[in-house]
Amino acid sequence: MKTEICPQKNSILESEKLKVFIGEDGNIISLLDKINNIEFVRWKNIFRKDGLQIWIKEGFVGRDPNGYLSHKFSEIIFAQSSIKKENSKIIIEKNKNDEKFEILYDLKDYLDILTTLKNLGERKFKQFEFFFSWEIPAGTNILVPGKNRYFRYIVPPFGRIITRYFKFYNKPIYIIRPDKNGIKIEFSELLRYVIYNRGKMCVVGGFTNIKRVDKNKSISENIKISLYKSKNIKKITEDDNFVLPGPLKNPYFKKRFIHISLYYKRVDLNNFFKIIKNLNRIGYNGVILGIGKGMKFESYPEISEEWSYSKKEMKEINDYIKSIGMEIIPEFPTLGHQNDTNLVKVDPEIVEDPKNPFVYCTSNPKTYQVIFSILEEIIDIFKPEIMHLTHDEVQHWFSKKRMGICNRCKNRKLWEIYSEDVNKLHSFLFKKNIRMSLWGDMLLDHRKFKICNCNGAVGDVYKAIDLIPKDIIIFDWHYHYYKKYPSLDYFLNKGFKVFPATSFFNPKAVASFCRYAKKIGLNDGVIETTWAVPVIEELPIENIFISSQIFQNPEINLNKIKNISLKFALYLYKEVKK
């Protein structure tokens, strides 16, 4: 269903070629090519609703390994924008304490955008980020300038989760659709160009270098957007001679899981089964199945969505996956990520913050009345040997605490809240002869390990590791490349069984993680995360293939399987679309 856009008159700019709508927060929400009747900007995406996102971040030099600001640093949130229109111009002004931000849109033969941030207070480090979420169909060519030539990225028809960074050269970026109509974008001063392609969404943009902004000084960036017609379009070509590689006879990791989520939306089960069958054929022998609000529960039906799967459908999923010899570990988010369970709909008092229902309240007895009833229904269908109860990202080390903030919990130690919750859930499963597994990030202190995905510093939650049962399996997830992953040694030395959980976007990180696990003798199990629903347009198929081969042979030549991964993705896309 297309979202209706109802802009105010003072937020529209129009010329013979272009029609532009500017949202209340100053971002572009629609950019129409009037000549070819093409709407380029995507109205909704997984980040925000606006087509052009302009972010301003502040922080300190040295936190990021590359010296740049990143998501670890706070985005500046301004007060309500003021919008003024002057002929062919729209001026957006935003203010926050000692900072003033202005965006000037000027429509000529092209759209000219000038962003200016003025600092009226103490010296600060700042960074601009610009992300365009375009409506980009499969086959679109994105051309990014290098030093001596342009690099070409072709948007595929299948799912791909990929981030590519390019050094900034002061030349235009071109986004050219398969019909050869496109957009040319010119930046005045960036540090990096970025292409982020996830499923049906493709984000193109970049960020400036970190800059020191003294009192009464400003930073600015100028962007120009114009229509472009190209004669040079390239296509992704299929390999009709591709032969599907089978599993190795002696794979290194015994259990090789693919992580799939059913709590985002409904998918066609026949296509889902085709995907799972082919993933089994290339070496996966288990599925971690995220359920959350994706199932219709009898005990608390308000948790479910209209599209949620019936118990009969869930049993059909269970029966099919087990019929092809794959193990299932059902996953239900507990403690954190309650936005994926709709728990707040049962009773606002069983979450810490009803306005941001991310964490449930462990001090309210009703919480466990609800959780245990839900788990009973899942167990009745899947009859699992292992059940995954998440506990990841309850809070991040670089953000405010989310647990222990309600009136019942605010005076409690955070590691006690965490460990008591784990122990209650463990006891519930133990009585049913089911083993519990958790993500490991909240049990790690980033100050000790110096790698990403260690979130237990706020409130010293990491101390809970000595207060929970040792028969819990830890899924230790890290998505970035390092030479060593000391958290694996740490969990082993604490007496836990641990499975590496690998990146969905970085094959080099997958290989390094698995090789380190092999070096220290870990081979019980490994997980390829996806954080996607099982549809061919959204799964990171190439990375899934690469991981399947590394899981069986961690020393495999990465470049060799990278070349095959595209062929496999095209093959699987063709199989599912038959």
Side-chain angles (χ1 to χ4, degrees):
M1 181 182 293
K2 188 174 181 180
T3 303
E4 293 296 323
I5 304 172
C6 302
Q8 299 175 358
K9 288 184 179 181
N10 67 347
S11 63
I12 301 174
L13 292 177
E14 190 165 8
S15 68
E16 291 183 2
K17 296 180 180 179
L18 289 168
K19 187 173 184 179
V20 183
F21 295 159
I22 309 298
E24 291 182 358
D25 58 0
N27 290 344
I28 296 176
I29 58 176
S30 175
L31 188 144
L32 176 67
D33 171 2
K34 293 171 64 177
I35 297 172
N36 299 292
N37 195 31
I38 297 170
E39 177 66 71
F40 281 101
V41 169
R42 187 182 181 94
W43 167 246
K44 287 224 174 186
N45 60 66
I46 64 170
F47 293 120
R48 296 186 175 189
K49 64 183 181 180
D50 298 327
L52 166 62
Q53 305 153 35
I54 302 175
W55 296 354
I56 300 172
K57 295 188 175 180
E58 67 179 19
F60 301 93
V61 179
R63 292 284 189 89
D64 185 278
N66 299 311
Y68 314 137
L69 297 183
S70 69
H71 68 281
K72 299 180 182 68
F73 294 82
S74 59
E75 178 190 353
I76 300 174
I77 306 298
F78 290 92
Q80 185 72 23
S81 308
S82 67
I83 303 177
K84 294 188 295 184
K85 186 173 182 183
E86 298 176 359
N87 300 321
S88 66
K89 299 178 182 180
I90 289 178
I91 303 167
I92 311 291
E93 288 187 358
K94 304 182 181 185
N95 294 280
K96 181 188 177 185
N97 299 330
D98 55 359
E99 294 180 286
K100 184 177 180 181
F101 182 44
E102 182 180 276
I103 313 172
L104 172 63
Y105 293 96
D106 189 1
L107 187 57
K108 307 168 185 177
D109 286 337
Y110 57 88
L111 179 62
D112 188 83
I113 308 169
L114 177 63
T115 63
T116 305
L117 176 70
K118 186 172 184 179
N119 179 28
L120 303 174
E122 296 178 359
R123 183 178 67 186
K124 296 176 183 176
F125 289 101
K126 301 292 184 185
Q127 178 190 45
F128 278 143
E129 294 186 0
F130 305 91
F131 293 108
F132 296 89
S133 183
W134 302 108
E135 187 65 56
I136 300 183
T140 293
N141 284 225
I142 302 173
L143 303 176
V144 181
K147 185 176 182 180
N148 300 313
R149 65 184 181 89
Y150 270 81
F151 296 96
R152 186 185 302 269
Y153 176 80
I154 306 174
V155 178
F158 52 83
R160 174 181 281 185
I161 299 182
I162 186 169
T163 304
R164 291 193 175 176
Y165 296 94
F166 300 88
K167 184 178 178 181
F168 173 72
Y169 290 96
N170 200 357
K171 299 176 184 178
I173 291 179
Y174 296 90
I175 303 175
I176 308 165
R177 294 160 50 95
D179 58 14
K180 299 183 180 180
N181 294 300
I183 290 285
K184 180 171 76 171
I185 309 174
E186 299 172 81
F187 294 95
S188 64
E189 185 180 0
L190 290 187
L191 176 68
R192 290 281 188 273
Y193 293 113
V194 179
I195 296 175
Y196 177 80
N197 185 190
R198 177 166 191 170
K200 295 180 180 179
M201 184 195 75
C202 191
V203 174
V204 181
F207 51 88
T208 64
N209 202 349
I210 179 172
K211 289 191 176 181
R212 186 180 72 182
V213 186
D214 293 318
K215 185 175 181 178
N216 294 324
K217 298 294 183 180
S218 301
I219 55 172
S220 61
E221 173 68 21
N222 189 223
I223 306 168
K224 295 179 180 178
I225 304 173
S226 53
L227 299 179
Y228 181 81
K229 187 84 173 181
S230 176
K231 296 179 181 178
N232 185 17
I233 290 288
K234 289 190 177 180
K235 299 179 180 179
I236 293 178
T237 56
E238 296 183 27
D239 183 357
D240 294 330
N241 298 318
F242 174 72
V243 177
L244 187 71
L248 299 183
K249 289 184 179 179
N250 298 300
Y252 178 75
F253 285 100
K254 298 173 186 176
K255 294 186 176 186
R256 302 171 299 281
F257 288 98
I258 185 76
H259 179 272
I260 296 291
S261 300
L262 294 181
Y263 40 75
Y264 299 132
K265 68 179 182 181
R266 170 173 284 270
V267 303
D268 180 272
L269 291 186
N270 288 328
N271 288 342
F272 175 27
F273 295 159
K274 287 180 185 178
I275 292 169
I276 291 297
K277 180 180 179 181
N278 280 282
L279 297 189
N280 180 231
R281 291 173 68 188
I282 61 171
Y284 288 100
N285 61 5
V287 178
I288 297 174
L289 194 68
I291 295 172
K293 61 189 176 187
M295 176 172 150
K296 292 188 183 296
F297 294 99
E298 294 175 1
S299 54
Y300 294 95
E302 58 267 48
I303 287 175
S304 309
E305 302 284 353
E306 288 185 12
W307 52 262
S308 295
Y309 302 86
S310 67
K311 284 191 169 183
K312 181 180 179 182
E313 289 170 319
M314 281 293 184
K315 189 174 188 309
E316 185 181 350
I317 292 169
N318 175 70
D319 292 347
Y320 178 79
I321 292 174
K322 288 181 178 176
S323 74
I324 59 174
M326 297 181 79
E327 180 181 355
I328 293 184
I329 297 179
E331 172 198 285
F332 188 86
T334 54
L335 195 54
H337 282 289
Q338 294 311 303
N339 50 316
D340 293 327
T341 69
N342 285 338
L343 210 65
V344 68
K345 291 183 178 180
V346 176
D347 185 346
E349 290 193 3
I350 62 176
V351 295
E352 289 287 275
D353 179 6
K355 293 181 180 179
N356 181 25
F358 192 84
V359 178
Y360 64 54
C361 174
T362 61
S363 301
N364 188 339
K366 188 173 181 180
T367 300
Y368 296 99
Q369 175 186 324
V370 176
I371 292 294
F372 291 160
S373 296
I374 291 168
L375 296 182
E376 286 276 13
E377 293 190 51
I378 296 172
I379 291 167
D380 184 58
I381 293 171
F382 293 96
K383 298 177 173 54
E385 295 181 6
I386 302 170
M387 194 158 189
H388 185 43
L389 297 185
T390 69
H391 279 66
D392 60 313
E393 296 181 322
V394 180
Q395 58 206 20
H396 294 95
W397 65 264
F398 49 83
S399 62
K400 295 179 181 179
K401 68 178 184 179
R402 289 170 166 170
M403 57 190 294
I405 60 174
C406 75
N407 289 331
R408 287 187 176 95
C409 299
K410 64 183 181 181
N411 294 320
R412 301 183 64 199
K413 299 281 194 296
L414 296 196
W415 69 84
E416 292 176 351
I417 292 175
Y418 183 96
S419 60
E420 285 178 15
D421 181 63
V422 169
N423 291 335
K424 285 179 183 177
L425 295 168
H426 175 271
S427 177
F428 173 81
L429 294 180
F430 186 80
K431 291 174 183 176
K432 299 178 181 297
N433 201 29
I434 299 171
R435 196 165 183 179
M436 183 178 180
S437 65
L438 302 173
W439 299 117
D441 59 303
M442 296 304 300
L443 299 172
L444 300 173
D445 182 356
H446 73 279
R447 295 165 295 190
K448 176 179 179 179
F449 294 99
K450 310 297 184 184
I451 59 176
C452 291
N453 312 129
C454 303
N455 291 318
V458 177
D460 293 340
V461 176
Y462 68 90
K463 293 180 179 179
I465 195 166
D466 295 319
L467 303 173
I468 62 176
K470 296 293 190 273
D471 64 346
I472 292 172
I473 303 174
I474 303 296
F475 294 164
D476 186 25
W477 62 280
H478 299 290
Y479 296 159
H480 301 285
Y481 170 79
Y482 303 100
K483 291 182 179 179
K484 296 180 179 180
Y485 295 83
S487 54
L488 290 177
D489 304 87
Y490 178 70
F491 285 125
L492 280 177
N493 291 334
K494 286 289 185 178
F496 294 94
K497 178 178 281 192
V498 56
F499 291 4
T502 63
S503 175
F504 53 92
F505 58 83
N506 190 335
K508 186 179 178 182
V510 176
S512 183
F513 202 2
C514 291
R515 288 167 186 169
Y516 187 78
K518 182 182 177 184
K519 182 179 179 180
I520 63 174
L522 276 177
N523 73 336
D524 289 314
V526 65
I527 301 153
E528 164 65 356
T529 63
T530 66
W531 300 109
V533 293
V535 295
I536 200 67
E537 291 85 1
E538 297 188 26
L539 286 170
I541 301 299
E542 290 164 283
N543 203 85
I544 287 172
F545 174 82
I546 292 168
S547 296
S548 74
Q549 305 306 295
I550 295 171
F551 291 174
Q552 296 171 84
N553 177 14
E555 305 301 331
I556 197 167
N557 185 300
L558 191 57
N559 289 328
K560 182 179 178 181
I561 55 175
K562 277 184 179 178
N563 294 332
I564 302 172
S565 67
L566 175 59
K567 297 178 181 180
F568 171 75
L570 289 166
Y571 159 82
L572 186 58
Y573 179 82
K574 198 172 180 179
E575 285 291 301
V576 171
K577 293 298 180 180
K578 278 182 180 178

